[in-house]
Amino acid sequence: MELQILDHKVGIDAGELVSYQVGGYEYMHQKGSPGWRSTDTEMFPVIGPTAEAGFRVQVSRANAIQDQHGLLRELAYETVSKTETSAIFLKNYKSGTVVENSKYPEKSTARLLIWPFDFQFRKTFILTEKSLEIIFTVIGERDMPFMLGYHPAFKLRSSNPKIISPGRSIDLSEVLEAGSRALEVPDCKDITLNDEKGVNLKTEGFGHFMLWTEVPNMICIEPITFYPYAVPQAKLHDGFQHLEGTREEFKVWITPQ
């Protein structure tokens, strides 16, 4: 699926942002390139690893068995609507539904995942002449606990890219050194990647970022509601926020520079 306005083109594959080009210049990491097998994904209803806690996360009811970054990524998007410059995708989950874990058995010992709350997760793309807006809408039961993270990967071309946040300049070497834990950028809603060509991310609702890569040709710049390594895995529930009313929106604007 493709969205286009002027020389801005966006490629979407089953709800995943796989391409963002302006004038033929590709900003997104491509599948098959070293670093990561995806281009974007969402982390929900938890962010971070859970193996050390036996894949169990404390919630107010029943069992919550979650692998790293939650079970949302195991669900398939359905297409709700599509225009030349916008698209909406939806995932539905029924409380207590058992979900097969794609990480099992090669990368995880948890075969089945489960969450004790109903929810819908909507992902909306809106392409303009200046930027790509992505809106995440969480629809569910009042007071449902959750964390949310967006995990897009950007292509790197220069030998010394910089990540700029208010009051801080981050070298790629710092992100590589952080390894699998990812580098926290707390209390930040606006961040810029300075590479061969730059790209800016502004957010609403998230509040923080974390940066991850293990290779020099890509970087993940991830808006998050909570940095999961701030607490032991058994205390991951300390990072939950609770759904106000029955829906909340979180927004990301990706703007080529």
Side-chain angles (χ1 to χ4, degrees), residues 148-166:
L148 174 61
Y150 179 45
H151 194 306
F154 297 90
K155 181 190 290 286
L156 294 177
R157 291 179 172 86
S158 70
S159 59
N160 189 30
K162 302 277 188 181
I163 302 92
I164 309 297
S165 66

Side-chain angles (χ1 to χ4, degrees), residues 1 10-21 26 28-31 38-40 125 153:
M1 177 185 298
V10 164
I12 303 170
D13 180 14
E16 180 183 3
L17 173 64
V18 294
S19 177
Y20 186 7
Q21 297 184 15
E26 179 64 70
M28 307 308 298
H29 166 72
Q30 297 297 288
K31 296 182 179 184
S38 301
T39 304
D40 91 345
F125 294 93

